Amino acid sequence: MFKRFLKYVEITTKITSLFAFLNTLLFIIYQKQPVNVPLMTVFFIAMFIFDLTTTAINNYIDSKDYPEMLPIPRKSAFAAIMIMLGISTVLGLYLAYKTGIVVLLLGAFCFLLGIFYTFGPIPISRIPLGEAISGVAYGMFIPFLMLYINNPLNYITLGLSWDTILLQINVRPFIEFFLFSLVTTFTTANIMLANNTCDIEKDTAVGRLTLAHYIGRKWAVRLYALLYYGTYVSVALMVIFKILNPAALIFFLSLPIVVKNIHTFKKEQIKEKTFITSIKNFITINACYAISILAATIVQGIMA
């Protein structure tokens, strides 16, 4: 039963949230910011369980007309969703209680995105914003929440009262966060883009009008490549603006592997044959990103 549950929540696809967490944690350490271990532990559990929940909701909705597609009984599948949603909600509320209104608002927004990704009259996965929203959810919201929880005053201050709303944003830390987050944002978005590019005809036939449908296969493939190259631009800019130590440029050693996978996908967009290039590039780029941040941390420590 447990193995079937893991299949139901597609445990092997959770690399997106895991890498987002790992790379952000390494970036926090590189910046010599404090790490609140208890809150980070709670955040990780809440993030991971909610990631499982969104996948479960997706599979539950998609199998509505074909219950036999679910690896576990439909009633059990629904119960699992409710239990996981309840746990992640309680943990999220605890984090908000400990950290403030910003975490509450952003956390609630993330919950809504996850739930309405495949649920509702117009699911996010069926519109042209799917790639952008999935990329931002994993690549920006997870890192920002982690950075904010550990050092809230460094990024944003929000004060609410019956008479006024006071919002203060520290620009430089936000720029650093934005550039840092682009690697995971672009590589996550490309997983969906590759999937939708392979399925253009099939998706269009069932009314699933994704970004690939609107821009066409040719431009979808071009965007697929541009997003990967954008990750290298972001790391280069981080070094130029002294956000990362030059040692982080070892990240570029991953470029030949990524380029090879890009060319493979450009030749043919077949789900069973070339979609895997997006997974390979995600793992290659984000693993090398982690190594490059770690290398920058070590070199910075030696030079200090």
Side-chain angles (χ1 to χ4, degrees):
M1 181 66 177
F2 183 65
K3 288 184 177 179
R4 284 182 287 161
F5 171 77
L6 294 181
K7 183 179 180 181
Y8 172 49
V9 296
E10 298 179 15
I11 192 69
T12 56
T13 67
K14 302 310 147 196
I15 55 172
T16 47
S17 55
L18 292 178
F19 267 117
F21 184 90
L22 172 63
N23 289 342
T24 306
L25 185 60
L26 290 173
F27 187 61
I28 291 172
I29 295 171
Y30 171 80
Q31 289 192 319
K32 299 179 180 178
Q33 294 187 27
V35 177
N36 190 319
V37 176
L39 290 185
M40 279 297 91
T41 302
V42 173
F43 177 84
F44 177 81
I45 296 172
M47 173 201 74
F48 190 72
I49 292 178
F50 188 67
D51 195 6
L52 298 179
T53 306
T54 56
T55 302
I57 293 173
N58 181 39
N59 289 334
Y60 184 84
I61 298 286
D62 286 348
S63 64
K64 183 178 180 180
D65 297 323
Y66 304 96
E68 65 277 6
M69 292 174 59
L70 288 175
I72 61 177
R74 193 161 183 81
K75 288 185 178 179
S76 299
F78 182 77
I81 290 173
M82 292 297 101
I83 292 171
M84 291 189 295
L85 186 60
I87 294 173
S88 55
T89 299
V90 170
L91 293 176
L93 290 173
Y94 174 78
L95 283 172
Y97 170 73
K98 285 290 187 178
T99 54
I101 189 68
V102 172
V103 171
L104 177 63
L105 293 176
L106 285 179
F109 187 60
C110 288
F111 268 56
L112 290 175
L113 289 180
I115 291 171
F116 289 104
Y117 181 77
T118 52
F119 182 72
I122 307 178
I124 294 171
S125 63
R126 291 178 172 266
I127 61 176
L129 297 177
E131 287 82 356
I133 291 176
S134 64
V136 169
Y138 286 99
M140 291 191 176
F141 283 157
I142 289 176
F144 182 77
L145 284 168
M146 290 179 65
L147 290 165
Y148 182 85
I149 287 170
N150 285 287
N151 195 5
L153 297 180
N154 193 46
Y155 294 93
I156 186 172
T157 303
L158 177 63
L160 298 175
S161 72
W162 291 110
D163 301 315
T164 59
I165 298 177
L166 298 176
L167 176 64
Q168 178 180 312
I169 297 175
N170 297 323
V171 177
R172 179 173 174 80
F174 250 92
I175 294 174
E176 293 176 355
F177 149 73
F178 178 76
L179 289 175
F180 161 77
S181 68
L182 289 180
V183 171
T184 308
T185 299
F186 288 168
T187 52
T188 301
N190 256 354
I191 293 177
M192 177 175 281
L193 180 60
N195 180 68
N196 291 340
T197 302
C198 292
D199 290 342
I200 288 180
E201 292 80 11
K202 184 171 68 174
D203 285 346
T204 302
V206 296
R208 192 168 181 263
L209 306 182
T210 62
L211 178 64
H213 166 82
Y214 283 101
I215 66 177
R217 188 179 295 273
K218 180 179 178 180
W219 281 101
V221 171
R222 288 179 178 177
L223 179 59
Y224 177 82
L226 286 173
L227 288 176
Y228 284 132
Y229 294 136
T231 65
Y232 295 91
V233 173
S234 69
V235 172
L237 288 174
M238 290 178 75
V239 172
I240 291 172
F241 292 120
K242 298 182 180 179
I243 300 170
L244 283 178
N245 185 280
L249 291 176
I250 65 170
F251 177 68
F252 280 78
L253 293 177
S254 63
L255 186 57
I257 299 174
V258 172
V259 170
K260 180 181 178 182
N261 287 327
I262 290 173
H263 288 323
T264 299
F265 189 74
K266 278 185 174 181
K267 289 179 182 178
E268 52 184 358
Q269 301 83 51
I270 301 175
K271 190 75 165 283
E272 296 74 17
K273 294 177 63 176
T274 58
F275 167 72
I276 191 64
T277 60
S278 64
I279 305 298
K280 290 180 178 178
N281 276 351
F282 180 92
I283 294 173
T284 298
I285 290 173
N286 283 280
C288 287
Y289 197 31
I291 293 170
S292 68
I293 297 172
L294 184 60
T297 303
I298 294 171
V299 171
Q300 180 178 251
I302 293 173
M303 295 174 63

